[in-house]
Amino acid sequence: MSLLEVRNLTVEFATSAGQFRAVEGVDVTLDKGEVLAIVGESGSGKSVSMLAVMGLLPWTATITADRMAFEGRDLREITPAERRKIIGKDIAMIFQEPMSSLNPCFTVGFQIKEALRQHLGLDRKARHNRAIELFEQVGIPAPEKRLNVFPHQMSGGMNQRVMIAMAIACNPKVLIADEPTTALDVTIQAQILDLLLELREKNGMALALITHDMGVVAETAERVAVHYAGQKVEEQPVAGLFGRPYHPYTAALLAALPERATSRILPTIPGVVPGQFDRPAGCLFAPRCAHASAICQTRPPLPRGADEGHARCHTPLLPDGKTVAAPIEEVSQ
Amino acid sequence: MSEQIVTARNLARHYEVKQGFLSAPATVRALSDVSFDLRPGQTLAVVGESGCGKSTLARLVTMIEEPTGGELRIKGEAVTRDHWASLRSSVQIVFQDPYGSLNPRQRISTILQEPLKINRPDMSAEERDRLAREKLALVGLRPEHYDRFPHMFSGGQRQRISIARALMLDPAILVLDEPISALDVSIQSQILNLLVELQERLGLAYLFISHDLSVVRHFCDDVIVMYLGRVVEQGPSKEVFANPRHPYTKALISATPRAVPGSGRKRIKLQGELPSPMDLIEGCPFAPRCWRVTDQCRKSRPELSGGAHGIACYNPED
Ligand SMILES: Nc1ncnc2c1ncn2[C@@H]1O[C@H](COP(=O)(O)OP(=O)(O)OP(=O)(O)O)[C@@H](O)[C@H]1O
Ligand SMILES: Nc1ncnc2c1ncn2[C@@H]1O[C@H](COP(=O)(O)OP(=O)(O)OP(=O)(O)O)[C@@H](O)[C@H]1O
Ligand SMILES: [Mg+2]
Ligand SMILES: [Mg+2]
């Protein structure tokens, strides 16, 4: 049994211009001690899909899924009281925007101690000691002094570390880390990632890591899911994804890395991601895809098998990474 | 030298912070002794750990705040408060957050015209409109985007809008405070390409703040590495990356993750406590975490020396 299992998750928002589908048919499986990275286009529903699992989306969101289970129990069927015991404790999240998720009116020390009080029922002294220990673990200098400062008195990266300390405070079984290290320099980033991997070793914590940093993905993750326009378009073990991507979007994303650049002008993907009103009838990536054929314009592709990276694609890339086989339907015509 | 568009000499910015009701205020030395030159068409990167003073430097160069020490010259003129108004339009800033930095209730047209309304009050409405549309096209957005609201754009498009707004007053210098770290790789490269293109066409000078060393290496001519408010290494980016001499720079480069799974690289792990900018440190600020530390390092602070590729270290790597 997986620790976290989500099947066919779809999230729609009610907007003044009508329903907007932010997540479409996404599956997430996370086993004990596993590290899954989620990458992809800005606005492709990475954060929203995880916020849906946490139950933290606003009321304008409509969530549907065939299954959304933690330790075998569907999160939508348990009582609010049971839910509060799980969310924030067993499943914790490091939010993408630390500034907007810390309360500006309270010191950071108060906020972390409050979380410890609610979930673990520690006494005053134990809370204080644990808070200092956590601040040390995430590399906050002079932790004792920092407990008494307000979020606006610290730099962006320091607030991000406070958020991380709060998320790991109760030793979660699943940690969803949404861009946990974007505001940090690489030595601190390395320290934080080591800390998260250590928690995995020690407690069997599973980690879902949302990031744009492909270097972090390559060095931290075991499995990688690639999102585009609300869908998961590919999922592979990390070596396969970097070595032999099947979906043209994945390949284009990797080609855009400055690290792989051969000239000052970098390769980019032409066009923009489809909006609410110009969602294509077929493959969502087709309008920007160098390999799209007739069928891609009209029929939405289904995910392929694991041997082809679960790619949502009619024309997955061949090993040379440049060409595709003709789609089966066209050959048989 | 008239060729330089920005010259900074020993810039410093210290803050007084209150620590409770009774204790004396502490001084946060956010930035000390930063010197550099920036020429038109040149890109200078500022890297370093979180809280080392990068945004503080950005605020000084953009005249959002005044330095508490040192000298700043822009276009040859000394930057003092009475010159701010006349110099401000030459320096514009683009912030990290493409979501928070645009007013959600204003249309793109209003957002773009605002700097002109404030700084060029005599300009006619037609002329403002014409210039705003021109800048929108310059950053690769389409005419139909002109009357839309920010929430209708993707992160990358919003960052283009921020850049267009920064270009409205035809600045000579753009300060880019982590302009791409919130964006996905393909949009990052779009924005970087846009910046390269604008620099070639308009001869802009960039002060580029970033955590991503692979981007800095690709994109920047010179680099300043800061630690706890001070420069520890400074020089042409090619040289600094090829031959990092300060142990902190070396640690930074070695900790930069590479997009190659299973490369099994050894990275330098820093031990020891990160000092707080409120502490008064006698020696080298990096000494508590340095693996080459000697008694001398703990006693006195090494000055930046070594000319074009300068380092502040008693026992540099060779
Ligand atoms: N409350 C909301 N109401 C309407 N639309 C929303 C809301 N929250 C998010 N969205 C939209 O849902 C889509 C997915 O957003 P999400 O934040 O999940 O993207 P993401 O993949 O995390 O992107 P990024 O990499 O930029 O963080 C976006 O188009 C976003 O504008
Ligand atoms: N208004 C202020 N009052 C007191 N301290 C401040 C103020 N602004 C900044 N600081 C402190 O100055 C130091 C430098 O902050 P700055 O924002 O320049 O860091 P940074 O290098 O941009 O960090 P990051 O990478 O996290 O954005 C930090 O220790 C910060 O807490
Ligand atoms: Mg997100
Ligand atoms: Mg900053």
Side-chain angles (χ1 to χ4, degrees), chain B residues 4 33 53 70 81 95 112 142 163 216 244 267 289 300 310:
Chain B
Q4 316 297 356
D33 266 335
R81 229 169 227 275
F95 293 102
L112 293 183
R142 300 224 295 255
I163 293 171
V216 169
R267 62 172 189 241
R289 301 171 80 195
S300 72

Side-chain angles (χ1 to χ4, degrees), chain A residues 113 116-117 121-133 144 147:
Chain A
K113 287 177 191 171
L116 290 168
R117 191 186 61 80
L122 298 179
D123 65 28
R124 253 182 101 84
K125 183 91 190 103
R127 288 204 295 273
H128 184 74
N129 291 340
R130 175 78 175 133
I132 288 180
E133 179 189 34
E144 193 108 24
L147 285 175

Side-chain angles (χ1 to χ4, degrees), chain A residues 21-309:
Chain A
R21 185 169 291 183
V23 178
E24 182 175 306
V26 166
D27 295 342
V28 187
T29 311
L30 203 52
D31 290 321
K32 194 169 188 290
E34 203 182 16
V35 184
L36 167 72
I38 305 174
V39 304
E41 188 92 17
S42 300
S44 63
K46 303 182 296 292
S47 301
V48 167
S49 58
M50 288 298 134
L51 289 168
V53 172
M54 297 286 289
L56 292 176
L57 288 173
W59 62 271
T60 50
T62 312
I63 303 168
T64 57
D66 296 345
R67 190 168 166 71
M68 208 153 90
F70 173 70
E71 293 187 321
R73 297 163 74 206
D74 201 298
L75 287 165
R76 294 164 302 175
E77 284 157 13
I78 57 176
T79 65
E82 285 176 305
R83 208 190 156 82
R84 275 195 299 275
K85 271 190 216 143
I86 295 178
I87 301 299
K89 181 174 181 295
D90 289 338
I91 311 180
M93 183 158 175
I94 300 167
F95 298 97
Q96 189 167 8
E97 286 164 42
M99 279 319 238
S100 50
S101 24
L102 287 171
N103 190 329
C105 306
F106 297 104
T107 64
V108 293
F110 175 83
Q111 295 186 54
I112 193 166
K113 287 177 191 171
E114 189 57 20
L116 290 168
R117 191 186 61 80
Q118 275 180 11
H119 289 297
L120 302 182
L122 298 179
D123 65 28
R124 253 182 101 84
K125 183 91 190 103
R127 288 204 295 273
H128 184 74
N129 291 340
R130 175 78 175 133
I132 288 180
E133 179 189 34
L134 285 161
F135 273 25
E136 266 165 6
Q137 281 184 330
V138 296
I140 296 177
E144 193 108 24
K145 280 188 212 160
R146 295 280 170 164
L147 285 175
N148 300 321
V149 307
F150 290 90
H152 70 269
Q153 293 174 312
M154 301 204 293
S155 76
M158 209 58 91
N159 277 311
Q160 197 161 29
R161 281 180 260 180
V162 171
M163 280 295 309
I164 296 169
M166 285 179 64
I168 61 171
C170 306
N171 287 323
K173 293 178 180 168
V174 173
L175 179 65
I176 299 166
D178 195 353
E179 300 282 357
T181 56
T182 28
L184 304 178
D185 90 82
V186 289
T187 66
I188 302 290
Q189 168 173 282
Q191 184 187 338
I192 299 278
L193 293 173
D194 282 347
L195 172 67
L196 297 184
L197 294 180
E198 193 186 302
L199 290 176
R200 165 180 89 142
E201 289 301 314
K202 229 170 60 195
N203 309 339
M205 180 181 85
L207 181 62
L209 182 67
I210 304 175
T211 180
H212 290 307
D213 189 328
M214 298 305 268
V216 168
V217 174
E219 295 194 351
T220 317
E222 292 160 335
R223 207 150 43 86
V224 189
V226 183
H227 282 222
Y228 182 80
Q231 296 179 330
K232 182 165 83 181
V233 296
E234 177 156 6
E235 179 167 330
Q236 277 208 69
V238 65
L241 190 102
F242 281 86
R244 192 200 183 308
Y246 287 94
H247 199 288
Y249 174 68
T250 312
L253 197 62
L254 293 172
L257 286 171
E259 211 180 305
R260 296 188 177 189
T262 50
S263 72
R264 189 142 192 245
I265 293 293
L266 300 163
T268 57
I269 307 174
V272 296
V273 66
Q276 188 171 359
F277 304 112
D278 52 5
R279 257 175 122 75
C283 168
L284 296 182
F285 188 59
R288 304 173 72 186
C289 183
H291 309 290
S293 61
I295 185 176
C296 306
Q297 314 294 351
T298 53
R299 192 182 311 169
L302 293 173
R304 306 179 84 91
D307 57 334
E308 287 178 302

Side-chain angles (χ1 to χ4, degrees), chain B residues 262-276:
Chain B
S263 58
R265 288 168 321 113
K266 274 228 184 75
R267 62 172 189 241
I268 301 165
K269 282 197 186 161
L270 295 178
Q271 308 288 335
E273 171 126 1
L274 212 64
S276 136

Side-chain angles (χ1 to χ4, degrees), chain A residues 155-157 183, chain B residues 50-51 53-56 59 96 177-178 209 211:
Chain A
S155 76
Chain B
S50 151
K54 303 182 295 297
S55 298
T56 304
R59 289 194 296 271
Q96 164 173 14
D177 193 351
E178 302 194 40
I209 296 172
H211 283 299

Side-chain angles (χ1 to χ4, degrees), chain B residues 264-299:
Chain B
R265 288 168 321 113
K266 274 228 184 75
R267 62 172 189 241
I268 301 165
K269 282 197 186 161
L270 295 178
Q271 308 288 335
E273 171 126 1
L274 212 64
S276 136
M278 281 183 249
D279 300 337
L280 191 64
I281 302 155
E282 297 243 303
C284 169
F286 188 59
R289 301 171 80 195
C290 187
W291 62 95
R292 296 172 73 89
V293 64
T294 61
D295 279 346
Q296 186 187 24
C297 310
R298 296 199 189 89
K299 278 198 207 96

Side-chain angles (χ1 to χ4, degrees), chain A residues 299-329:
Chain A
R299 192 182 311 169
L302 293 173
R304 306 179 84 91
D307 57 334
E308 287 178 302
H310 302 280
R312 250 186 212 269
C313 181
H314 291 298
T315 60
L317 291 166
L318 294 173
D320 66 359
K322 292 195 181 68
T323 52
V324 297
I328 293 155
E329 282 85 347

